[in-house]
Structure formats: C-alpha cells, structure tokens
Amino acid sequence: MPDTKKFIENLSGAGKCIGVLTSGGDAQGMNAAVRAVVRMGIYVGAKVYFIHEGYQGMVDGGDNIKEASWESVSSMLQVGGTVIGSARCKDFRTHEGRLRAALNLVQRGITNLCVIGGDGSLTGANLFREEWSGLLDELVQSGEISEEASQIYSALHIVGMVGSIDNDFCGTDMTIGTDSALHRIIEVVDAIMTTAQSHQRTFVLEVMGRHCGYLALVSALACGADWVLIPEMPPKDGWEEQMCYKLSESRMRGSRLNIIIVAEGATDRHGNPISSNAVKELVVRCLGFDTRVTVLGHVQRGGTPSAFDRILASRMGVEAVLALLEASPGTPACVVSLCGNQAVRVPLMECVQMTQEVQKAMDEKRFEEAVRLRGRSFENNLNTYKLLSHRKIDSELPHSSFNVAVLNVGAPAAGMNAAVRSAVRVGITEGHTMFAVSDGFEGFYKGQIKEIKWGDVGGWTGQGGSLLGTKRTLPAKHIDKIAEQMRIHNINALLVIGGFEAYLGLMELQAARSKHAELCVPMVMVPATVSNNIPGSDLSIGADTALNAITDTCDRIKQSASGTKRRVFIIETMGGYCGYLATVGGLAAGADAAYIYEEPFDIRELQSNVEHLTEKMKTSIQRGLVLRNENCSENYTTDFIYQLYNEEGKGVFDCRKNVLGHMQQGGAPSPFDRNFGTKIAAKAMQWISKKLKEFYREGRVFANTEDSACLLGMRRRALVFQPVVQLKDETDFVHRIPKEQWWLRLRPLMKILAKYKTSYDVSDSGQLEHIVRLRAKDVSAI
C-alpha cells in the first residue's frame, strides 16, 4: 500500500555525526563499505568521520579521527584491505581506554558508530554502548566534558557490518570478504590442478578460517576435492583408511590427481589437530603417491575484492546508515546482514551469542548441532558435498530403473558444467541411469544422446562454457523427432540447464504433451545465462562470472587513465534487453551512470549526466565511467553516447569507448557460480527423483500436471519450484525479460553513490529480525 512506503527523502541526518571504523583482521570489500557509509551519510546531510587504525585510533584521538569528504573515498572501491587501517587494540579492552575513546567521540559530537569487523570487534562495540552513559558520567565528574554535553550526547548508536574472510559469524549468509577469499583459493586450486595432472600428484591444500570450516568446505565443493577436513564435522574414527581407499579408487577410475583440502582448525573426533603435513605423510605412507602441501596463508586476505563483495558491502553500507538514522535510544545494537538475496537487520548480541554457541558445541563434541548452528547455507553446502563426493559401490546404490536426460540450451554460461556434474552424480547416487544430450534440442532430435557415468564428469566444475555443447534451437519444429528419441532411449525425466531458450523450450515441450505421451515426464529447468533475464529467479548461473569480468575490465580501464588528464569511459555490456549486468556491474565498478532498456531515458537525461560529470571533473576526481546495455535504446547507441560526451566534455575531459563483447561469457566460472550451479542442480535432481516416484503408475511414468514441468529459481531467500505455465504472466516475451526485476531497486543506490539526488524506496529496510525466526522461515533456502 502506498501509505506504508518509506522514502529516503523523509530521513534526515542533519546535525548527526557518524564515525566509521574497520577493526580486527582486514577483509576485501571493507573499503566499499566505508565508501558507501561516507557517501550515504553525506547524502542524507550528516557529517561522517574516518576513525583510522580501528579502536586504537578511537582511543588515541587526534589526527586519527578526521572528517571525510565525498572525494576522499573516490577510487577506493577496487582496493583490497582497508585504506583507513585496522589494528587489534589492547587499550580498548581496558576501562581507561574506553573512557579516552568516549571523550574523543564526544569532543567531535560523534554518537553514531558504524563498525566493520569480526565478532570480537562487534562485541567490543556493544560493551562500549552499554557503558556509554557511565563513561559520560565519569567524564563530567572529572570536568573533561560539561553536563550539557553529556545530555546532548547521551545515547550511542551502533550498527555493525561483518567484515571477515572466515564467514564465521552467525546471522548472515555471507560476510564481507568471504567471496573474495574464495576467489583467491580457487585461482590457486585451478593453477595447482594443471601441475598435479601433469605429474599425477596429490595436493594437500591448507586454507584459513580459524575455527570455521566455511572456506575449506565451499572451496572443496567448488573444485570437486576428493576429501575435506573441517572443524565443525571432524571425520569419524578410521577416516585415514577411508580417505586412502577413496584416493586410490579415484586413481583406478583414471583420475590423474587428488586434491585434499584442510581447514587450519581441523581436528579429529577427540580434539587432536590434523595438520596438512600429517595428511601428506599419511598419503605417502599408505599409498606411496607423490604428494605436495600448499599452505595458502595470507594470500586469501589479499587482492582486489570480487564483484559480489563490492555489491554486498555497498548495500550493507547504505543499509547501515539507514539503521543509524532510524535508531532510537532503546534500539539494540544491530548487524546489517544478508539473508538469501535480501538485506536484513539482526540484533548484534543474538548473533554473537549464536556464534559462541557454535564454538561451545564443537568443544563439547556436539558436531551435528555445531553444523546446524552455523546456519542453513553452511548445512546445505555440507550436505551437497557429501552427496557428490562419496561414490557408493554399485551394490550399495538403490536401483531405480529410471533414465534421466540432461541438456544445455541457449548461449554458454560459466557454471553450466558444474551443474551438469552435480546433476549426473546426484542422479547416479539416487540410482538412475543418466544420459547426456549434446548440443541442446538440436542434438536431442538428431539422437546425440549417450549414457554419462560418474567418472565422465570428473574435473568439470572449473571448466567454462558448456562441455555438453549448447545451441539456441527451440524444440517446437522438431517435436515429433524429440518424442521419438525419448521413446528410443526410454527417457523418464528431463533436466534442462540454460537461458531464455530453455524456458521457452520447456513451455513448448509441455504444450506438446497432449499429442505426445512420451513428453509426459517430470521436467525441470535450472536458469543459466549471463544476462540473468529468466522469470521466476533472482539469479542465474553465469551472471556472477560475467559481473566479475565486467568489474575486472572496468578496473583496468580506469587504471589505464591514471596519470593522464581527466577521462570518461563509455562501456557497452551484454544482456540483451535486460539491464542487470549494466546496473549491478555499474554498482560494483563505481559507475557514474548506467543506461538500460527498463528505465527509459531521453536527450535531457543524457545532457544532465554530461553536466554532472563535468562538475565532478572540476574537483579532484579524474575518471568517469558510464555503462550502456547493448539494447537500451535503438537510437542512443554506444557511438552516439560516446560522441555526445566527447563533444560536450571538450576542454574538461576526453572520452574513450569499449565494447566488452563475448569476454563476459567466457572464462573459468567464479566460486559463486560453481557453488550455485552445484547446489541448484542437486536440488533439481532430488525433485526429479521425488516426482518419478510420484508419477510411476502401472510400470511407467506418466506426468501431465502443471507442477510436473517446473523452473527452479532463487526467490529472495529460498530456492523454489514454479510451474512454467504460471510464469507466463510474469514474462515480457518480446524483450525476453521478466516484467518485474528485483535489482531495479539497486539503481537508486548506484545513483546516490555517484552523487545524484534521487528517490529511494527504503520500505524493505528497517525490520529488525531475530535469528531463530530467520532459520525457521528459510528451511528451503540455499
């Protein structure tokens, strides 16, 4: 209802002062969070202060606490680590230290703190808040502040953002820095795999994470590791023989390498540490394999933040300022976090207590409980890894006598192969015979269908493109031949992994069921396209890899201008009519504007953008970035926009243009796409197994209901199966996009961070949620 809508224009920060600090271990993306807090704070009329060197700077005061300007956070989005410095501070742990910190804040009128750090930093902030009024009383008694000042600054508001590569904080799916750390790990694993393959070696990789196994578990999932050791789920006694058996079995099946991933906090069931060297010695002693150890160490903390971390941190930073503006003296300190695809606020101390509960459960050897407390995302990762990594002996497998076919349809997208591997292995585990169809529906009607086995998909997760082969051909014209092939191979279910053509194809197959009984089988589609334009799903496989390609290229392009005079770049992105890549890529790369089809623009808007950039370039800002979706306008082409900016910017800046093209489709899949593909395809296969049992009658499978042809998509917080027929009304078939797209809500965010006055609907913000309720509601989420 319109009257319940809440807009940013109605929230004012006038007269408020916000301090922003990064504390504890650094994490990639912290700078993006700092930039978002500073710019959003200034946008709403507040003063924002950098607190350099974390709590140490707060205690020491002086030049460590400086007012921030709009320009002072320019060009920090792509920088790793934290440019305002971080330190582990002993002084703040003492009462004296906190007293000095309180004085330094009051002297500058700062009563709002945005703390970016791990659980230790956030716990410290909460203690500081609880002691605040007592600290002010002490300062009044010692005459260091006036009674009046203690009244004006009587309440301290705190909002936390979790910056930690370990992802060890309960209450949020992803912490800032985790995705970038996974990028570093996967880059190393991909490189190691090529050398391991050459020499038939076994590699033991040790990854960081303190007492949390998230990085180890997810990187094991993303590279298809043979074995993973994590603190939350220590291996059962006798694991040594089991592991060695698994390694030798995979070699016997033709694999030339083995990868074992060890979390730095890994232990056995009795609490004895398991080191990477101990694992190496075990493999050499039992199997005699040529084995090497690689300890990744601080490489994981370094490097430039991934697109995901930049967007996450920017969204969280803006949300943190909103939370501070809305805080009243009674509001508990909160953490802004991510749940599925949605920003939420959760009470800080609930998160800290839950995080401590995990450690307690591990200490008391209640391992199942520890995994459950880590959250749904962790639990699902572990269950998927178990499903995919341990091949049962044929005699242990349930035998279903069902045949399931997998195919790729549409343009290639990074992560498709991870999805195929996952589907094939889960299908085999469920007892089905799996068939691979080459070249999409075209290969289907030509009979390019063959059985695919467990070992055939080994090493597929890290491969870009589509190894099965994919085509845009739709099935309608060849429906008779496809039905014939279904009969010849006795196909009982279909899993289609692809883009908009896959969606249209599934609709055509379902429409043809009345004429062809062979098509009356369970069918499910998993969205995989760089454009992210599939109705019924917020995200599709391949979009994250494309975003990273865009972000990396924009970083390089911006860097190419360093040292030259002021320059603006016009960059064209892919996406068909869908502006997802241009908008979200723009947010991640710090663009000044992003032109898309969904938000029509005219010459007046182009003119105002040029003027806006011209004003900006008169300050210390040297570079501008403008993104344009390939189909955003028939007449305002990339050349037109380039020429317009070039002409209008004469004397202030010069222009360059780049068309990114197919490089957005290529490359090795990002960790996110590997995992998303793996988990979503595993879930799709489990649905197929369930439906096969449901529709098996009198010796055959017959499925003719709407809900037997579904699209599996991610909606806000959960993975949901939706009948394709019901998605028709949500689709703009002419422009091949959904009628409603969640990411359009991020556009005002991009404009605000580029210094445009805009309307921003913040109705979704502001509800404080409790962790327990989050868990209960989101059982089916990824």
Side-chain angles (χ1 to χ4, degrees):
M1 290 186 298
D3 53 313
T4 60
K5 279 203 178 295
K6 193 169 56 168
F7 289 94
I8 188 76
E9 301 89 297
N10 308 329
L11 291 170
S12 169
K16 294 191 175 182
C17 294
I18 299 170
V20 59
L21 69 144
T22 54
S23 171
D26 69 317
Q28 309 95 320
M30 280 182 164
N31 291 325
V34 170
R35 169 182 178 266
V37 170
V38 168
R39 291 195 166 173
M40 189 64 175
I42 291 171
Y43 182 86
V44 295
K47 275 187 172 180
V48 187
Y49 288 86
F50 289 135
I51 300 173
H52 290 272
E53 312 307 333
Y55 287 118
Q56 194 64 56
M58 202 193 290
V59 173
D60 296 344
D63 277 348
N64 287 310
I65 305 176
K66 281 189 188 146
E67 191 175 343
S69 68
W70 193 275
E71 288 79 27
S72 62
V73 291
S74 181
S75 294
M76 65 196 266
L77 191 60
Q78 63 268 33
V79 181
T82 164
V83 297
I84 58 173
S86 179
R88 301 193 191 272
C89 173
K90 287 199 180 88
D91 292 349
F92 194 73
R93 290 184 180 167
T94 66
H95 185 75
E96 261 56 57
R98 291 193 292 277
L99 193 63
R100 285 192 351 246
L103 176 63
N104 288 326
L105 294 186
V106 171
Q107 283 172 344
R108 292 163 181 82
I110 300 170
T111 54
N112 296 282
L113 276 186
C114 187
V115 183
I116 307 161
D119 56 346
S121 311
L122 299 179
T123 311
N126 194 60
L127 175 65
F128 190 41
R129 177 179 168 276
E130 284 170 357
E131 291 182 351
W132 183 254
S133 56
L135 294 170
L136 293 197
D137 291 345
E138 282 183 55
L139 292 169
V140 170
Q141 281 161 13
S142 63
E144 289 176 271
I145 63 167
S146 66
E147 182 67 50
E148 188 191 1
S150 86
Q151 292 301 315
I152 297 169
Y153 306 123
S154 61
L156 177 69
H157 303 299
I158 284 176
V159 172
M161 280 185 267
V162 193
S164 160
I165 64 163
D166 304 336
N167 205 24
D168 57 354
F169 196 79
C170 294
T172 181
D173 283 358
M174 285 291 262
T175 58
I176 295 165
T178 306
D179 187 65
S180 302
L182 285 171
H183 272 258
R184 298 299 91 79
I185 295 168
I186 293 305
E187 282 159 16
V188 170
V189 174
D190 284 355
I192 277 175
M193 276 180 149
T194 53
T195 173
Q197 198 123 23
S198 310
H199 295 276
Q200 297 199 42
R201 279 190 178 136
T202 295
F203 268 86
V204 182
L205 267 91
E206 185 180 302
V207 301
M208 286 169 103
R210 275 194 313 178
H211 305 297
C212 176
Y214 185 89
L215 288 178
L217 176 57
V218 174
S219 46
L221 246 187
C223 71
D226 295 282
W227 201 264
V228 64
L229 293 158
I230 57 170
E232 291 85 350
M233 190 50 81
K236 293 187 168 69
D237 291 344
W239 65 273
E240 295 90 343
E241 292 80 35
Q242 240 185 322
M243 183 183 79
C244 291
Y245 171 75
K246 171 105 196 296
L247 299 181
S248 64
E249 191 213 22
S250 99
R251 287 288 174 99
M252 273 157 58
R253 282 206 314 274
S255 170
R256 291 178 58 86
L257 77 158
N258 300 113
I259 301 279
I260 301 163
I261 294 183
V262 184
E264 62 181 353
T267 63
D268 64 16
R269 292 260 150 178
H270 310 288
N272 306 312
I274 301 175
S275 71
S276 42
N277 278 320
V279 174
K280 173 196 164 172
E281 282 159 19
L282 173 70
V283 175
V284 172
R285 190 174 68 247
C286 296
L287 299 170
F289 288 173
D290 185 0
T291 307
R292 299 281 191 276
V293 171
T294 302
V295 178
L296 267 68
H298 281 73
V299 164
Q300 294 158 87
R301 275 194 200 280
T304 175
S306 66
F308 182 94
D309 273 330
R310 298 181 197 197
I311 295 151
L312 173 68
S314 300
R315 284 175 76 182
M316 299 297 106
V318 167
E319 184 71 25
V321 173
L322 294 177
L324 286 171
L325 292 184
E326 292 172 4
S328 61
T331 314
C334 75
V335 171
V336 288
S337 78
L338 185 76
C339 186
N341 195 21
Q342 206 180 354
V344 292
R345 299 178 194 171
V346 280
L348 189 147
M349 285 322 286
E350 273 186 28
C351 298
V352 169
Q353 278 154 11
M354 180 84 96
T355 306
Q356 288 164 353
E357 284 287 313
V358 178
Q359 193 53 52
K360 197 172 159 212
M362 280 155 61
D363 293 343
E364 292 170 7
K365 303 192 173 32
R366 291 180 286 117
F367 299 115
E368 273 81 7
E369 178 75 356
V371 167
R372 199 182 59 75
L373 289 167
R374 274 271 182 247
R376 64 205 174 89
S377 171
F378 190 92
E379 218 172 334
N380 280 328
N381 284 324
L382 185 58
N383 291 338
T384 310
Y385 179 76
K386 283 179 182 168
L387 253 184
L388 294 172
S389 62
H390 299 296
R391 183 173 187 265
K392 292 178 180 169
I393 308 155
D394 291 341
S395 58
E396 294 174 1
L397 288 172
H399 189 63
S400 74
S401 75
F402 291 126
N403 295 343
V404 181
V406 183
L407 65 156
N408 292 158
V409 176
M416 274 182 164
N417 299 321
V420 172
R421 167 187 176 269
S422 171
V424 167
R425 292 196 168 176
V426 172
I428 291 170
T429 305
E430 306 252 320
H432 311 316
T433 305
M434 299 300 296
F435 285 86
V437 181
S438 303
D439 298 338
F441 288 119
E442 193 171 307
F444 210 141
Y445 82 80
K446 288 178 178 171
Q448 296 169 356
I449 303 167
K450 61 175 195 298
E451 191 182 339
I452 186 164
K453 294 199 155 61
W454 186 279
D456 298 337
V457 290
W460 278 31
T461 39
Q463 307 271 340
S466 163
L467 292 169
L468 285 186
T470 181
K471 288 265 171 75
R472 291 178 182 270
T473 315
L474 290 171
K477 289 178 186 165
H478 314 285
I479 217 89
D480 297 350
K481 287 181 179 170
I482 287 174
E484 190 186 339
Q485 291 297 335
M486 297 269 292
R487 195 185 67 252
I488 292 167
H489 295 278
N490 189 22
I491 303 294
N492 307 116
L494 274 185
L495 171 60
V496 185
I497 300 162
F500 207 83
E501 284 85 4
Y503 170 63
L504 295 174
L506 210 59
M507 282 184 172
E508 290 179 4
L509 291 178
Q510 188 176 25
R513 276 175 168 178
S514 54
K515 292 196 184 113
H516 299 280
E518 294 89 346
L519 299 175
C520 295
V521 298
M523 305 176 189
V524 63
M525 176 201 159
V526 166
T529 165
V530 297
S531 307
N532 196 26
N533 62 335
I534 307 297
S537 192
D538 289 355
L539 293 172
S540 52
I541 299 165
D544 183 69
T545 306
L547 275 181
N548 278 293
I550 292 167
T551 311
D552 290 351
T553 312
C554 288
D555 287 353
R556 289 182 187 194
I557 286 171
K558 272 159 72 175
Q559 206 173 22
S560 74
S562 65
T564 64
K565 62 181 192 294
R566 296 178 174 88
R567 185 165 281 174
V568 172
F569 293 96
I570 315 293
I571 293 173
E572 183 186 301
T573 66
M574 285 171 97
Y577 283 94
C578 177
Y580 175 81
L581 290 178
T583 298
V584 184
L587 187 58
D592 294 276
Y595 300 116
I596 62 168
Y597 165 77
E598 291 90 344
E599 206 172 88
F601 56 97
D602 57 17
I603 195 72
R604 284 179 294 280
E605 190 173 335
L606 286 168
Q607 183 64 37
S608 80
N609 290 158
V610 175
E611 286 163 8
H612 187 266
L613 257 175
T614 310
E615 284 310 302
K616 232 184 198 178
M617 291 287 186
K618 287 176 183 168
T619 66
S620 59
I621 289 171
Q622 296 286 314
R623 285 158 294 189
L625 193 63
V626 174
L627 267 61
R628 178 191 174 274
N629 161 268
E630 59 184 352
N631 288 346
C632 67
S633 164
E634 212 176 319
N635 297 311
Y636 299 135
T637 61
T638 303
D639 283 333
F640 177 91
I641 292 173
Y642 161 69
Q643 285 160 352
L644 177 79
Y645 273 75
N646 219 1
E647 185 61 35
E648 298 293 317
K650 264 191 184 150
V652 183
F653 58 79
D654 66 354
C655 251
R656 295 287 184 275
K657 67 169 180 188
N658 276 72
V659 177
L660 299 185
H662 280 74
M663 61 163 289
Q664 295 160 83
Q665 254 176 22
S670 66
F672 181 90
D673 278 331
R674 295 181 195 201
N675 275 332
F676 185 48
T678 299
K679 286 194 281 191
I680 197 168
K683 200 171 174 85
M685 262 331 286
Q686 288 169 323
W687 177 88
I688 282 177
S689 294
K690 195 174 101 214
K691 291 289 172 194
L692 283 169
K693 288 191 188 98
E694 205 177 294
F695 291 111
Y696 186 66
R697 295 276 179 283
E698 296 159 16
R700 72 183 190 121
V701 173
F702 187 81
N704 201 12
T705 55
E706 278 189 5
D707 69 349
S708 63
C710 280
L711 179 142
L712 173 56
M714 185 180 174
R715 283 258 162 124
R716 285 170 86 93
R717 301 185 182 188
L719 283 175
V720 277
F721 290 93
Q722 303 140 99
V724 282
V725 177
Q726 291 173 21
L727 292 172
K728 269 186 184 168
D729 295 340
E730 294 180 29
T731 311
D732 170 351
F733 286 99
V734 178
H735 300 101
R736 298 158 59 96
I737 51 173
K739 286 178 183 169
E740 279 188 26
Q741 303 186 84
W742 70 273
W743 51 264
L744 286 168
R745 295 201 305 274
L746 298 180
R747 282 186 68 77
L749 210 99
M750 185 189 79
K751 289 176 184 172
I752 287 168
L753 296 177
K755 216 174 184 174
Y756 283 96
K757 285 279 174 230
T758 185
S759 179
Y760 181 29
D761 179 358
V762 293
S763 316
D764 263 4
S765 306
Q767 290 77 37
L768 196 65
E769 302 200 12
H770 296 282
I771 298 186
V772 186
R773 213 180 84 234
L774 279 181
R775 285 198 47 79
K777 201 161 56 181
D778 301 324
V779 284
S780 67
I782 52 168

